[in-house]
Amino acid sequence: MDYKETLNLPGTAFPMKANLAGREPETLKKWEEENIYGRIRELSEGREKFILHDGPPYANGNIHIGHALNKVLKDIIVKSRQMNGFDAPYVPGWDCHGLPIELQVEKKLGKKKHELTTVEVRKLCREYAESFVDIQRDDFKRLGVFGDWERPYLTMNHEYEAAIVRELGRFMESGSLYKGKKPVHWCASCRTALAEAEVEYADHESSSIYVKFPIKSDIGAKVPELKGKKPSVVIWTTTPWTIPANMAVCLHPDFSYAAVEAQNKTGKDILIIAEDLLEKCMAELGVEGYKTVATFKGSVLENEVCSHPFLERESLVINGRHVTLEAGTGCVHTAPGHGQDDYVVGLKYGLEVYNPVNNGGVYNDDVEFFAGEHVFKANPLVIEKLEEVGALLKASRLKHSYPHCWRCKKPILFRATDQWFISMEKNDLRKKALAEINSTEWIPAWGKDRIYSMVENRPDWCLSRQRAWGVPVTAFRCSSCEEMVMDSEIVEKIAAMVEKESSDVWFAKDAAELLPEGFKCPSCGGSDFEKEKDILDVWFDSGVSHSAVLEQREELGSPADLYLEGSDQHRGWFHSSLLASVGTRGRAPYKMVLTHGFVVDKKGKKMSKSAGNVIAPQDVIKKYGADILRLWVSAEDYSDDIKISEENLTRISDAYRRIRNTARYILGNLGEFDRKKDALPYAELEELDRWALHRLNILIGKVQNAYESFEFHQIYHAVHNFCSIDMSAFYLDILKDRLYCSGSLSEWRRSAQTVLFEIIDAIVKLMAPVISFTAEEIWSHMPAFEGKEPSVHMTRLPEPKKEWSDEALAERWGRLIQIRGEVSKALELARRDKVIGHSLDAGVVVEAGDELSDFLRSFEPELNRIFIISKASIAALDGKTPTYESEEIEGLKIAVSSASGEKCERCWNYDDSTGSNVKNLKVCSRCYEVVKEIE
């Protein structure tokens, strides 16, 4: 007889080889054809909403690995909340305006760009953005991300642009919006102001100079020791090009300053330097011998006057608390047109906000000595001039962190220009924003302190940009009195036009067509107006998405439950969204904010094409499949920077394979199982099966908690350990004999199948938000049952069941598992010594103390099947058989020998009953009963 035909061997169409790269597109097609996302929305009607608002990626270029991390994290959250009983829609969006797109279009046009109108250039920008929206949308869908992909929000959509105009109007109406001359980040290459979020810091080599500013008057009345002397205040700067814009020298009012007599390269001078920095500065200047003439507080010199080193201009000595002792001399060169702190302190003293530099970073024609020079090229010229007039004490080179433009990567300037700002103080915007930060939940918690300090110290929000591709600042200038006209009625009229025709209308029509008919200037009654030429900061575009999207889409709502982006968005989207919402609604647009780190290579370095360490998500998907990428996202602690490498992905693939093989094994043993007819009630299950349900219950609780707290790496580890340790290495290993060799209809086998069904039903749902394609594939191969949904994503996550929890049972089996581990060690030694081959060749005698022996006997007659051997007995050892003595369990001794009896040709166990049946078949008594029943 071919006994193989009598065994209940596993069988399933669920393939061992995943072939994710080939199979996942078929699943995508199924989801689309069956409108799974739409059906999920229908199922969710009436449920409590959970809104994760998508921070819009920029519609420029293919997606990178950081995009994949971000979108998969969002998808895991949305799917898990959806499967936990919420209505969790996902509306993806794109940021479509701005400089990078405009530069790409200009680059493509070349010299032709000068032949086109602004509206024509904007049309090309729109087409460019649309093309990348389509490209990125396909890539995001390929990741298995569910969402309303046919109705995303785009910041260049007419309705969205109209919302931007209206939100700007709210700030106009509140009086928070104003136009003023202030120093801002300025890219001379791109010729536009930059937001803080558009600035990145990189190493840069600058000129470092120490310069004398001679005090003009006799200060003997304030400092008697200096009567009749000519001291100089010493400044230090790394931007020599700003010296022509110097208006003052700033000292801290409370710091102690020393006037020292020193012989230096310019001769014998009296130099004024902060006392705490004196020794360091003298060493820098190469001065070995010096004498302190006087010491005094910085407040003593307030309002004294210095001479500019080489211009016919005075430099006022002022006081400011922004001065530090971290570097330099404690005396700060102050150019209000080139620095925020300089600007603020300059306002206090009525200093001119002087900016002698044009949009291209070149000195204006009226700048003495340096007219027409680019400021960075002028550094050596300024140094040369300082040397010439005897004001230079030292010049050297310094490598330090310096702000660069995020797009062209070139160093930027701080430059005062006329810009549009939202005031941080008007209407208490800063105060209210800080209060809202405290009311928001930040994940990880350090995000709160990070954004709090940024908002606490930030200047007014510079809204304007000097470019073409964006939403205009919808304000007018009266040609007669030059007053700026900002009126809510005008704003609404323009918004309605934009909603119908797009923001191109601003550039296509003249002022008279945009203004209400017969409109007069409120200040002078004039009727001739000029349109504002600047456009809005793209961070304002995306920052008002709470208005343009959350408040407009009926399936959404405001505030959102969650915003989720990379840690750079504390100064980007999280920041602009907070200010835009607090400034108009008095509250944050979000309840929770989750931050993830950046993707780095295995050495922890940032990925870049030039470094050759980029791993593209498209390549990972092509080689491994999207589920491996998704599993990688879940496996990493996203709160820090996340490493990815081939080694990393191989490790994740191995873990995936173990999870998949566990699912395949379980499916293979459920082929004919009918949940309704064949499942046993909990009370009738075998003890081992009840233990498995207890372990499953713990897994369900862990995973549910991890989803709730957004700790997805715990899900990965919990499920992987459950599959590889609880299941493969223990439960399923023991179960094989029962599943394969028992009668197919026996309660002994049905008990195992009942639990296997519960396990696979739970695992497939628990992992569906993570490995979405594989979960769907497993679901499609599960036995049919009443109420089975067309997609696993339409189901609910399992909840722990009270009746499955049995701590006493868990403790009992936990102890047995420890003993089983010791038996395995003994078997391995016996295998090494050629006593046995397969573990089923073995007979094991266990000697233990009375209590432990009684404990082991409570598992008879199944002890041999638990140890996966042919025979197990608890008795005193005879001392003849080689013995393994446990170091872990006191008093436990194990002897391994060849099992007595004959090998059953059906179950491969050695048994004394083998061959003793009436037909003399080479099977044991258990197998004979099964074979007889089959016959």
Side-chain angles (χ1 to χ4, degrees), residues 264-296:
N264 59 76
K265 65 178 284 185
T266 64
K268 203 166 193 179
D269 287 312
I270 292 180
L271 308 175
I272 295 175
I273 295 170
E275 192 173 16
D276 286 353
L277 293 169
L278 186 58
E279 187 176 340
K280 182 181 176 184
C281 286
M282 291 294 104
E284 268 297 313
L285 297 173
V287 177
E288 294 182 1
Y290 58 91
K291 182 177 77 172
T292 300
V293 177
T295 58
F296 45 86

Side-chain angles (χ1 to χ4, degrees), residues 545-693:
S545 61
H546 63 274
S547 168
V549 183
L550 293 177
E551 293 177 4
Q552 301 303 319
R553 301 279 290 249
E554 60 179 326
E555 71 270 36
L556 304 178
S558 183
D561 292 283
L562 180 67
Y563 275 34
L564 183 163
E565 300 301 330
S567 55
D568 57 333
Q569 297 307 314
H570 286 115
R571 64 181 187 139
W573 190 56
F574 299 154
H575 198 127
S576 63
S577 298
L578 176 72
L579 298 183
S581 181
V582 171
T584 55
R585 280 127 178 101
R587 58 160 172 77
Y590 37 65
K591 298 174 186 175
M592 295 183 286
V593 175
L594 187 149
T595 307
H596 62 76
F598 296 101
V599 183
V600 295
D601 67 14
K602 62 182 178 182
K603 294 179 181 177
K605 290 184 179 178
K606 186 179 176 182
M607 292 191 167
S608 68
K609 289 180 181 178
S610 58
N613 62 348
V614 170
I615 293 180
Q618 296 86 349
D619 294 339
V620 176
I621 291 170
K622 190 175 180 180
K623 182 175 181 179
Y624 296 99
D627 265 357
I628 300 302
L629 200 54
R630 295 179 67 96
L631 197 59
W632 163 75
V633 170
S634 76
E636 302 296 324
D637 182 356
Y638 60 76
S639 63
D640 202 351
D641 285 347
I642 304 128
K643 292 181 180 178
I644 190 168
S645 63
E646 279 297 325
E647 296 90 333
N648 199 321
L649 291 169
T650 300
R651 176 175 56 81
I652 294 293
S653 296
D654 290 342
Y656 169 84
R657 199 173 297 113
R658 282 188 279 274
I659 295 169
R660 184 181 182 90
N661 286 345
T662 300
R664 184 172 187 271
Y665 180 83
I666 293 174
L667 290 173
N669 284 285
L670 291 174
E672 85 298 346
F673 182 75
D674 185 315
R675 187 185 202 180
K676 190 173 183 180
K677 290 192 310 181
D678 301 330
L680 300 183
Y682 179 80
E684 295 176 22
L685 297 176
E686 293 293 319
E687 189 175 325
L688 174 60
D689 300 327
R690 284 187 276 119
W691 170 88
L693 286 179

Side-chain angles (χ1 to χ4, degrees), residues 163-178 421-424 426-427 429 461 463 486 488 491 536 540 543-544 546 576-586:
I164 295 171
V165 172
R166 290 187 174 104
E167 290 305 300
L168 183 66
R170 285 175 181 252
F171 280 104
M172 288 179 179
E173 200 168 355
S174 70
S176 297
L177 183 71
Y178 70 94
F421 296 91
I422 287 176
S423 169
M424 290 298 296
K426 182 83 173 178
N427 302 317
L429 178 55
W461 185 359
L463 275 189
M486 296 180 283
S488 57
V491 167
L536 286 166
F540 188 81
V544 301
H546 63 274
S576 63
S577 298
L578 176 72
L579 298 183
S581 181
V582 171
T584 55
R585 280 127 178 101

Side-chain angles (χ1 to χ4, degrees), residues 134-163:
D134 290 339
I135 289 168
Q136 291 186 9
R137 172 169 31 208
D138 288 343
D139 284 345
F140 290 142
K141 288 168 74 174
R142 180 63 187 86
L143 287 167
V145 177
F146 281 3
D148 195 348
W149 292 109
E150 302 314 308
R151 293 195 314 142
Y153 76 87
L154 308 179
T155 59
M156 65 181 180
N157 281 351
H158 300 183
E159 298 83 4
Y160 196 113
E161 289 185 329

Side-chain angles (χ1 to χ4, degrees), residues 212-220 223 225-234 258-261 268-273 293 296 301 304-307:
K212 294 188 302 182
F213 278 70
I215 297 178
K216 290 181 74 173
S217 55
D218 188 334
I219 59 171
V223 185
E225 298 92 333
L226 297 179
K227 186 172 178 60
K229 300 183 184 296
K230 294 184 177 180
S232 294
V233 180
V234 180
V260 299
E261 192 172 72
K268 203 166 193 179
D269 287 312
I270 292 180
L271 308 175
I272 295 175
I273 295 170
V293 177
F296 45 86
L301 296 187
E304 291 296 329
V305 176
C306 293
S307 299

